Amino acid sequence: MIQLILAMTACLVLAGCEKRAVLSTHNQAIQQESQWVETFFQDYAEVFRSKSRTRLLAKFCLPLTFLTKTGPIVFQDEEHLSANLDALLRRYEQIEAVDWKYTIKDVRTLGSGIYLVEIEWRFFDPHNELLYACDTSYFLAVEAKGGAKVMAIIAHNEIERYEQALKRKKDV
């Protein structure tokens, strides 16, 4: 009987070690995925700060799908995407957003070279005061030559949060 208990205990210990090894490997893979995603979004935020149309357009695939609560918008060409990005930058200027920071909430592999990234954006005024925060999901495609591009964006609550910030700005 004692031998049976010892054998069962040894099995449980070994199973626990195997589970830790699998989790450790999984966590390392997530950290590696998160690293390139972190680099991508650091550059993405910097490109928006620079307001460089060429650099902005290079971050997106065409066609690009932009999903909001008011419905989907599909940009088929650079001209329409560029006009939308210009309008977005004007919106940021209206509320005096001069800097933005992000937190990567989740990174999921959807397929070979396709990732879903959940981001929380925080927008700040010239005094580094928070104007608003919002949640956005990005579908990223990793390119064969390196780097990644945005295939689709889901703006979960940016419109409402932006409008609240704009209202506060006008009330001042």
Side-chain angles (χ1 to χ4, degrees):
M1 184 70 161
I2 292 177
Q3 289 177 337
L4 181 62
I5 292 173
L6 288 174
M8 295 286 290
T9 303
C11 285
L12 290 173
V13 168
L14 290 173
C17 290
E18 177 65 25
K19 184 176 180 180
R20 276 193 295 268
V22 168
L23 287 175
S24 176
T25 302
H26 178 70
N27 288 340
Q28 288 172 355
I30 288 173
Q31 288 174 347
Q32 288 174 345
E33 286 180 358
S34 295
Q35 186 56 48
W36 76 262
V37 171
E38 178 72 33
T39 301
F40 176 85
F41 280 100
Q42 284 174 356
D43 189 54
Y44 186 82
E46 186 54 42
V47 166
F48 266 94
R49 282 183 205 97
S50 76
K51 300 178 185 177
S52 166
R53 178 177 292 173
T54 304
R55 288 180 61 203
L56 278 169
L57 290 172
K59 290 290 182 190
F60 300 97
C61 291
L62 289 172
L64 172 73
T65 303
F66 190 72
L67 301 169
T68 68
K69 290 182 180 178
T70 58
I73 303 165
V74 179
F75 299 102
Q76 299 284 352
D77 56 55
E78 273 191 22
E79 181 182 345
H80 288 96
L81 177 56
S82 183
N84 181 267
L85 292 170
D86 288 344
L88 183 61
L89 290 170
R90 281 192 302 277
R91 286 175 46 156
Y92 295 156
E93 288 171 1
Q94 277 185 311
I95 61 169
E96 296 181 6
V98 296
D99 197 14
W100 29 88
K101 296 179 176 136
Y102 62 89
T103 301
I104 297 171
K105 298 291 192 174
D106 192 23
V107 178
R108 287 186 228 154
T109 304
L110 300 180
S112 180
I114 308 288
Y115 296 85
L116 173 61
V117 182
E118 306 286 337
I119 299 283
E120 178 193 52
W121 286 103
R122 294 173 312 284
F123 295 84
F124 297 90
D125 69 9
H127 306 290
N128 204 31
E129 292 181 24
L130 180 66
L131 295 165
Y132 72 97
C134 63
D135 301 304
T136 307
S137 298
Y138 293 84
F139 291 87
L140 299 181
V142 176
E143 297 183 305
K145 61 185 176 196
K149 288 192 175 194
V150 177
M151 297 171 36
I153 301 171
I154 303 172
H156 297 285
N157 52 11
E158 184 170 7
I159 293 172
E160 308 90 78
R161 304 277 174 85
Y162 170 82
E163 288 173 355
Q164 291 167 355
L166 184 61
K167 184 179 183 316
R168 283 192 305 272
K169 181 83 175 148
K170 287 180 179 180
D171 289 346
V172 173

